[in-house]
Amino acid sequence: MKQQTKDILYKIDRTVKPILGVMSVICLLLLCSAALNTPVKQILTKLLLFSAVIWLVLVVCRLCLSPFVKSDEEEEFEQKVDYILQQRQAGQTASSNYNPLRELSPGQEEKIKEVLRGLPENPMKPGHINLALVAQYLTALQQLGKANLKDKHHLRLWVEEVTGKKVPNSSQFNEAIPSQTVTKVSSARKKLEAVLEII
């Protein structure tokens, strides 16, 4: 079927839908009114029959169009999927431009990335980062004035991209940074200072 024909059928279906809703309400009101014993009962009954015929035609029209037109649920689902894909694409674009590292030469940046990539993964979850360890190194970088950890959303995506490993959900990640384990952060800081001095 041509796209133009699909568009026409879609417009007809979407035009019929609100009319069907209005006719349903009218039929219901006329049914209630015709049930009462009033002087205009015969007129109301005739109007009810006329409205019921129109309602039935509209229902048949929508049923005939349904194989060729997306349902409201399908359309809503597609809109949600499109929105999610747009948000993900926007996040990826923003994260590809994001870099938390500061005041480092390109060589130093690469060396820091190698250190983060080389950190042991989570022993309980293969393929996942060891969040506590990564948090210690990121905190150490911040203390050295070599990283800005404020934008945790993009930082999380950056860590995932740099390490090539999966990262825990945002709430866990945000809670872990900055690391509060002073001695381990101090140890990570010494190792990073040694790496930065080599370059």
Side-chain angles (χ1 to χ4, degrees), residues 32-98:
C32 293
S33 302
L36 300 172
N37 198 5
T38 58
V40 290
K41 186 174 181 177
Q42 286 184 337
I43 296 168
L44 291 172
T45 306
K46 287 178 182 177
L47 284 171
L48 174 62
L49 289 171
F50 180 72
S51 299
V53 169
I54 294 171
W55 182 85
L56 191 61
V57 169
L58 292 171
V59 169
V60 170
C61 181
R62 281 212 83 191
L63 287 172
C64 292
L65 290 171
S66 62
F68 310 104
V69 179
K70 292 174 189 171
S71 68
D72 295 337
E73 292 79 14
E74 287 174 324
E75 200 169 60
E76 190 178 336
F77 178 74
E78 283 183 4
Q79 286 173 352
K80 285 178 181 177
V81 169
D82 286 343
Y83 175 76
I84 290 166
L85 290 174
Q86 285 171 0
Q87 292 299 312
R88 186 173 289 176
Q89 192 174 13
Q92 286 173 348
T93 304
S95 65
S96 64
N97 297 328
Y98 172 80

Side-chain angles (χ1 to χ4, degrees), residues 84-199:
I84 290 166
L85 290 174
Q86 285 171 0
Q87 292 299 312
R88 186 173 289 176
Q89 192 174 13
Q92 286 173 348
T93 304
S95 65
S96 64
N97 297 328
Y98 172 80
N99 186 359
L101 302 177
R102 300 286 180 268
E103 298 177 15
L104 295 170
S105 67
Q108 287 176 320
E109 277 194 23
E110 193 51 46
K111 203 70 180 171
I112 293 298
K113 288 178 181 179
E114 283 177 25
V115 168
L116 292 173
R117 271 193 290 270
L119 293 175
E121 62 184 23
N122 189 326
M124 305 300 288
K125 292 182 181 177
H128 288 68
I129 64 164
N130 184 328
L131 182 57
L133 198 55
V134 169
Q136 290 158 21
Y137 275 79
L138 290 174
T139 305
L141 281 167
Q142 185 180 43
Q143 288 178 1
L144 289 166
K146 302 298 181 187
N148 182 341
L149 309 181
K150 286 182 182 176
D151 187 351
K152 291 184 181 177
H153 170 72
H154 287 110
L155 178 64
R156 181 178 168 275
L157 297 172
W158 181 82
V159 168
E160 191 169 52
E161 185 185 332
V162 167
T163 61
K165 299 182 182 91
K166 291 182 181 175
V167 179
N169 62 46
S170 297
S171 60
Q172 285 179 288
F173 185 84
N174 294 350
E175 200 174 307
I177 294 169
S179 175
Q180 303 301 318
T181 53
V182 179
T183 53
K184 290 183 178 179
V185 170
S186 180
S187 173
R189 183 172 172 165
K190 286 175 185 174
K191 288 176 185 174
L192 288 169
E193 282 174 340
V195 167
L196 294 172
E197 280 176 13
I198 292 167
I199 303 297

